[in-house]
Amino acid sequence: MRAIFFDEDDARAVVARLRADGFEARVERERLAGEDDDEDHPWAVVSDAPAFMLEVLVDTHDGWLDAEDDAAEEQSGPSEPLHLPTAPKRIKRPDLD
């Protein structure tokens, strides 16, 4: 799980709290698409802590949770292959099918 914060001090406070509770946590700079200014990039806290703990800390420090893509893919599982047509569909002359 990742928690995103706009203030570096908030991100570092969350990391300190998680480490004090015995979890692995680190701070990374999160680069968002379309952001040109390096000073405007938010801070990401990546941790192995349970989601409910991160939710409480995010609420306290005005951030948000960002679930990692791998976790979402594992939960959804593989999808069924699509059934694609083998030829174009005739709309104007259906009698030629």
Side-chain angles (χ1 to χ4, degrees):
M1 293 291 293
R2 294 182 330 158
I4 309 297
F5 302 95
F6 280 107
D7 188 21
E8 180 182 8
D9 293 335
D10 289 336
R12 297 216 180 270
V14 168
V15 167
R17 173 63 190 267
L18 291 171
R19 287 182 179 166
D21 290 340
F23 297 103
E24 293 288 327
R26 68 182 187 278
V27 176
E28 298 176 347
R29 201 68 195 256
E30 182 70 20
R31 301 211 181 272
L32 298 176
E35 289 289 330
D36 293 334
D37 188 8
D38 284 342
E39 297 300 318
D40 288 338
H41 293 298
W43 297 88
V45 174
V46 181
S47 178
D48 63 347
F52 69 89
M53 284 190 71
L54 284 174
E55 286 178 24
V56 171
L57 292 169
V58 162
D59 289 342
T60 304
H61 294 279
D62 292 328
W64 73 90
L65 282 181
D66 183 29
E68 293 181 4
D69 294 337
D70 295 337
E73 289 178 10
E74 288 177 12
Q75 290 177 357
S76 65
S79 61
E80 291 290 322
L82 296 175
H83 174 69
L84 300 174
T86 57
K89 184 175 182 181
R90 296 195 183 267
I91 296 175
K92 299 205 179 210
R93 304 256 338 247
D95 57 323
L96 296 177
D97 282 337

